[in-house]
Amino acid sequence: MAYDDSNVFARILRGELPCIKVFEDDHTLAFLDIMPQSDGHTLVLPKEPAVTLLDLSPEGATACILTTRRVAAAVQRAVGAPGLLISQFNGEAAGQTVPHVHFHIIPRFPGLKLKAHGRERGDPDRLDQIAARITGELASAR
Ligand code: 5GP
């Protein structure tokens, strides 16, 4: 699928728009979802331009899943979630709204329903506090 480099994640990757970053390496970037479905909702994306998982190189896909696994463990500890939903949408028909491939890490808590997808902005102070806990967990896991 043709990649449009004006999408919001491409702009974040180029540093043109801000994000609440929790992890970065040579191939991937992870930051908090600005409209979290639960506390700790984090996105992991490759730096490689690709719309869907099927457009991504095997190396990019490998880097993404390794970062997702590493960041998910830190998210889980940071928010004390007993479960994690990890999801990934390919194409508008599947619910993808930003055309740069990404993985969602969404903490789940018993009896707590998820907020709607991409609807309500998170409280900025709360997002910063959660990000600090996640980066703290990542630092202590090294
Ligand atoms: P998709 O529907 O493409 O799987 O998910 C896109 C996600 O990106 C949504 O959960 C939405 O809340 C999030 N999102 C959209 N725009 C921004 C943004 O500018 N910054 C951040 N951090 N997240 C965004």
Side-chain angles (χ1 to χ4, degrees):
M1 199 179 288
Y3 184 80
D4 172 5
D5 70 2
S6 66
N7 77 76
V8 70
F9 292 171
R11 298 189 65 201
I12 288 173
L13 283 166
R14 290 196 297 270
E16 295 168 5
L17 292 175
C19 70
I20 303 176
K21 179 167 85 173
V22 295
F23 179 83
E24 181 170 14
D25 65 13
D26 288 348
H27 304 290
T28 60
L29 178 69
F31 50 81
L32 293 195
D33 195 303
I34 207 167
M35 293 173 269
Q37 291 187 257
S38 69
D39 274 350
H41 184 169
T42 302
L43 303 172
V44 175
L45 43 143
K47 293 184 176 178
E48 180 183 329
V51 180
T52 74
L53 185 60
L54 307 187
D55 302 312
L56 191 58
S57 68
E59 295 76 20
T62 302
C64 268
I65 201 67
L66 291 176
T67 296
T68 298
R69 185 175 182 273
R70 180 173 177 178
V71 173
V75 168
Q76 182 164 43
R77 286 194 299 273
V79 299
L84 292 172
L85 170 66
I86 296 181
S87 60
Q88 195 273 315
F89 304 99
N90 297 285
E92 260 181 68
Q96 183 176 10
T97 57
V98 179
H100 182 111
V101 59
H102 52 279
F103 289 76
H104 294 260
I105 299 168
I106 306 177
R108 295 300 317 257
F109 302 87
L112 219 60
K113 280 175 101 177
L114 290 183
K115 291 186 187 156
H117 178 72
R119 286 277 167 78
E120 193 188 326
R121 285 232 174 197
D123 173 69
D125 290 339
R126 182 145 188 82
L127 291 176
D128 284 341
Q129 282 166 13
I130 291 170
R133 279 193 256 147
I134 295 170
T135 52
E137 290 294 343
L138 282 164
S140 63
R142 262 194 216 132

